[in-house]
Amino acid sequence: MSSRLTVSTLGSAVGKLRGLLRRSDTAELTARSENELMARGRLALDRYAAAPPAHLEILARHARARKAADDA
């Protein structure tokens, strides 16, 4: 069953590729796709490359918030 799905997926991809090659705005479409991929890459790097706050810093913030709540 999975080989049938693979063949179907490849056939669909080839059909889409043929459709793209027939388009007159292929260069523009490619440039937009490249820009979108670059933007998505930057977003992914920003999301996952940032180091999480230090554990002791988080504990200090919680302690400060508790103290402020107790004082109020």
Side-chain angles (χ1 to χ4, degrees):
M1 189 67 160
S2 65
S3 63
R4 218 181 255 179
L5 178 62
T6 303
V7 170
S8 173
T9 303
L10 284 174
S12 176
V14 168
K16 287 179 183 180
L17 181 61
R18 283 183 185 153
L20 285 175
L21 291 175
R22 282 188 230 125
R23 293 179 64 131
S24 62
D25 61 344
T26 304
E28 180 186 341
L29 183 65
T30 303
R32 279 191 287 165
S33 298
E34 183 179 350
N35 289 337
E36 184 177 334
L37 282 173
M38 292 293 287
R40 288 176 183 250
R42 282 191 299 271
L43 287 173
L45 281 176
D46 290 346
R47 180 177 296 152
Y48 297 111
H55 180 69
L56 290 177
E57 179 65 26
I58 294 171
L59 290 176
R61 288 178 190 169
H62 284 290
R64 210 174 316 135
R66 253 191 248 133
K67 185 174 183 336
D70 290 343
D71 290 344

